[in-house]
Amino acid sequence: MIIGWTKFKGHTLGDYQRLVNYFAAETAEKRVNTSFILVRRHPSPELLRGTPAHVLTTLGALNHKHRLSAFTLTFSEDDISVRSFNAGDPDLRDTVRRIVGLALEVAFPGVPKDRRPAALVTTHTHTGKLELNFALPRCVIRADGRVRAHNPSPPSKRAHDAWWAFVDTVNAHFGFDDPGNLDHARLIKLPNGIVKQLAEARRNLRSSPYEVLEGFIPAVINEASSILAERGALNRKDLQKAIMPVAKNIGLTFEESSDFGTTFVFRSEGIEQPVTFRGPLMSAECDETVSRWPSWNEERQKILRAAPERLASRWLEMADDVSVRHKFDKPDSFEALSEFLEPAPKPAPRAFRQKDRGLQPIACLLHRLVTEHLMGGLVARLVTALPENLFCDPLKKLEALNARYAKQQEPSETSGHPGSDRVEPTYRGAHSRSSGAPGDPEGARGGRTTGSDDRGSRRDFAADRGRREYDGRRDRSVSKGRAETRETRDGGHRIDGAGSRALAALGLSELDARIKALLARLGASQGDGAEQIEDALEPAEIGAPEENDELLPDGP
């Protein structure tokens, strides 16, 4: 794990808002070479602490110039697996929670939690590694309610040592990669802006003119190793003199040296800009670094072991200053660090049951027991143990219904043609008919005559089609598109009427034969597909007076 602080070019509310949005937004503008592209982060950033609205509201209420501090903790894939973290691994989530809590304690030493401003902590995992972004308003709230400025990382050696002690403590406690180890140490560092442009260009499958600068770093390290092997010693001046030919070949022109780094002017593909290389080999630490090279890793292990003690010492010093300045209670010890170093309790295992499928294994087991006759004796004992009067009430109701339907099945005095249990209503007015009316095809064929007050039977076309020719004029009173019949109102099933009573008295073999014949006729009818059949209403259900000129299926 490493830490990097954000440097602000401006200190307006708009500058702070762009940074907060960059931490929390799903999309962000990234510079690649000389253009900007819109990058969509997948997975999206996750809010671990606070909200952007709360932080921006706090920043808007502050009136001092420097109102926000921001830094990022970056973990390698070996430290924290992004896939497992996004999947909700409880151990990794607890580790991140503890790291975030300790970082906030270092940022606000000696400040009670209820006196701290709203902080924003987000994650970035779209790059393939976990990044924790912190946006901390520079203020604290005193006991008297006054808001005063507070810098989480003041420009002092004590604060610098405290933050690096925090990094060493976390890496040593969880076994993360140590950035100070010689195998992971960045002896030469490119500017952070160029590093980000190179990474974004690779993610978007683009080339970058800055790629040659990455090749410059291993070339310098090789030159330093060669000089050290030949002479047994190395200083900064000799190293700079040896790397000048290599720098010239890739477009670098030496500009100046300082205690913090070596500056070159980079010219390539229309680009001309100063580039400052930092790190132990390119700064004033070069001579000391080379002298410590053989025992570097051993010294790092000592530093890591002493990191918690160093962090506690620096934290107490800063907490004393903050307590005096803002009139908080002076802490006696760094309790948050003690809690952080304690072994994390193992979370209790939780069993998850998938929704609507939790009882499926039990149902499958019971089904197997029954189908394979493995519990026949048990079922028999359960059935025999049932009370005899369990089904008495349903039995009585069924017998009463059967007796009523058997009684209603007796022949009715209502006239009708043979083979039909439906009667036809009397047609009157313009559609009335008589036995000997001229032009009446029914009368001409010698059909059954009906009186003016008699109700004849309507034909069920699907059931009676094979017996006689259908006359469409008979159904003028029930035209296509009219109101629904009783059959359609009942969902396509006749629940009452003489037809259902007749079917109830049939034997099983005769009923089966009739169903097969009806299905065959229905198949033939559906094959034609040109006629629509509607059943008439039962006589008892027709409540219209005889003087009505037209009878509708659903009543007057």
Side-chain angles (χ1 to χ4, degrees), residues 440-454:
D440 184 2
E442 188 72 20
R445 290 192 295 268
R448 181 180 59 84
T449 61
T450 59
S452 59
D453 57 347
D454 187 18

Side-chain angles (χ1 to χ4, degrees), residues 1-2 79 164 167-168 171-172 175-189 221 280 289 292-305:
M1 184 193 77
I2 60 175
D79 294 342
W164 277 111
V167 173
D168 292 341
N171 290 331
F176 295 160
D177 291 341
D178 176 26
N181 189 286
L182 195 58
D183 298 332
H184 305 107
R186 294 188 297 171
L187 301 176
I188 302 175
K189 303 176 184 178
I221 295 176
T289 300
R292 293 165 46 199
W293 207 304
S295 60
W296 183 283
N297 288 340
E298 294 180 3
E299 293 180 3
R300 280 300 304 170
Q301 292 300 321
K302 295 180 181 179
I303 293 175
L304 292 178
R305 287 193 293 267

Side-chain angles (χ1 to χ4, degrees), residues 136 173 189 269 314 401 440 503:
L136 309 177
H173 183 68
K189 303 176 184 178
E269 299 181 9
R314 296 292 184 269
L401 290 174
D440 184 2
L503 290 175

Side-chain angles (χ1 to χ4, degrees), residues 151-167:
N151 189 357
S153 179
S156 64
K157 187 178 184 303
R158 183 175 58 187
H160 182 269
D161 292 345
W163 279 107
W164 277 111
F166 160 76
V167 173

Side-chain angles (χ1 to χ4, degrees), residues 141-267:
I141 306 172
R142 290 185 177 180
D144 57 3
R146 296 182 180 181
V147 178
R148 289 295 180 263
H150 168 76
N151 189 357
S153 179
S156 64
K157 187 178 184 303
R158 183 175 58 187
H160 182 269
D161 292 345
W163 279 107
W164 277 111
F166 160 76
V167 173
D168 292 341
T169 299
V170 172
N171 290 331
H173 183 68
F174 293 108
F176 295 160
D177 291 341
D178 176 26
N181 189 286
L182 195 58
D183 298 332
H184 305 107
R186 294 188 297 171
L187 301 176
I188 302 175
K189 303 176 184 178
L190 278 172
N192 193 39
I194 294 179
V195 173
K196 288 187 175 182
Q197 290 191 44
L198 286 170
E200 205 60 52
R202 290 193 183 94
R203 283 193 288 267
N204 291 273
L205 304 178
R206 298 189 181 189
S207 61
S208 174
Y210 298 111
E211 292 176 357
V212 295
L213 298 181
E214 288 185 315
F216 178 67
I217 295 176
V220 174
I221 295 176
N222 291 337
E223 287 290 340
S225 301
S226 300
I227 295 173
L228 188 60
E230 293 177 2
R231 304 177 187 178
L234 177 67
N235 56 49
R236 187 180 185 187
K237 290 183 180 180
D238 293 342
L239 180 60
Q240 289 180 354
K241 185 178 180 180
I243 66 175
M244 287 307 166
V246 180
K248 186 177 180 180
N249 291 336
I250 63 175
L252 289 173
T253 304
F254 177 77
E255 184 75 14
E256 64 175 354
S257 297
S258 65
D259 293 341
F260 303 101
T262 304
T263 302
F264 295 85
V265 177
F266 178 61
R267 296 180 178 90

Side-chain angles (χ1 to χ4, degrees), residues 257-376:
S257 297
S258 65
D259 293 341
F260 303 101
T262 304
T263 302
F264 295 85
V265 177
F266 178 61
R267 296 180 178 90
S268 176
E269 299 181 9
I271 299 176
E272 182 176 349
Q273 71 177 85
V275 178
T276 301
F277 291 87
R278 300 177 183 272
L281 291 183
M282 304 298 287
S283 64
E285 301 176 359
C286 179
D287 298 348
E288 182 183 358
T289 300
V290 173
S291 64
R292 293 165 46 199
W293 207 304
S295 60
W296 183 283
N297 288 340
E298 294 180 3
E299 293 180 3
R300 280 300 304 170
Q301 292 300 321
K302 295 180 181 179
I303 293 175
L304 292 178
R305 287 193 293 267
E309 183 180 352
R310 193 171 74 255
L311 174 59
S313 175
R314 296 292 184 269
W315 186 88
L316 287 174
E317 293 175 5
M318 294 189 298
D320 292 344
D321 293 345
V322 172
S323 301
V324 172
R325 181 181 179 185
H326 300 295
K327 300 179 181 179
F328 295 131
D329 294 336
K330 189 175 180 179
D332 297 331
S333 62
F334 194 2
E335 295 182 0
L337 178 61
S338 301
E339 295 176 359
F340 175 83
L341 296 176
E342 291 179 358
K346 292 293 183 180
R350 293 183 297 174
F352 294 93
R353 188 175 66 185
Q354 193 172 358
K355 187 177 181 181
D356 297 334
R357 296 177 64 89
L359 299 179
Q360 185 175 4
I362 300 177
C364 294
L365 177 61
L366 291 177
H367 181 267
R368 180 171 173 268
L369 292 175
V370 173
T371 54
E372 296 181 7
H373 307 286
L374 299 178
M375 53 184 300

Side-chain angles (χ1 to χ4, degrees), residues 405-516:
Y405 283 131
K407 182 178 180 180
Q408 292 179 355
Q409 188 186 353
E410 298 176 0
S412 174
E413 297 179 358
T414 307
S415 61
H417 70 282
S420 174
D421 58 355
R422 295 179 176 85
V423 295
E424 181 180 6
T426 302
Y427 290 90
R428 294 188 178 276
H431 303 288
S432 61
R433 303 185 183 192
S434 61
S435 59
D440 184 2
E442 188 72 20
R445 290 192 295 268
R448 181 180 59 84
T449 61
T450 59
S452 59
D453 57 347
D454 187 18
R455 297 179 180 273
S457 172
R458 288 192 62 202
R459 302 287 186 265
D460 184 351
F461 177 68
D464 201 34
R465 180 170 180 165
R467 296 194 179 190
R468 57 178 299 152
E469 181 181 357
Y470 173 71
D471 187 0
R473 292 177 297 176
R474 297 287 305 272
D475 288 338
R476 288 178 181 174
S477 61
V478 185
S479 60
K480 184 178 181 180
R482 281 293 186 86
E484 60 182 0
T485 62
R486 171 56 60 92
E487 180 176 345
T488 59
R489 285 199 305 271
D490 292 336
H493 302 283
R494 304 280 303 186
I495 61 174
D496 196 358
S500 61
R501 294 190 295 272
L503 290 175
L506 294 176
L508 292 179
S509 58
E510 184 179 0
L511 179 61
D512 185 64
R514 287 198 179 190
I515 291 175
K516 290 182 180 179

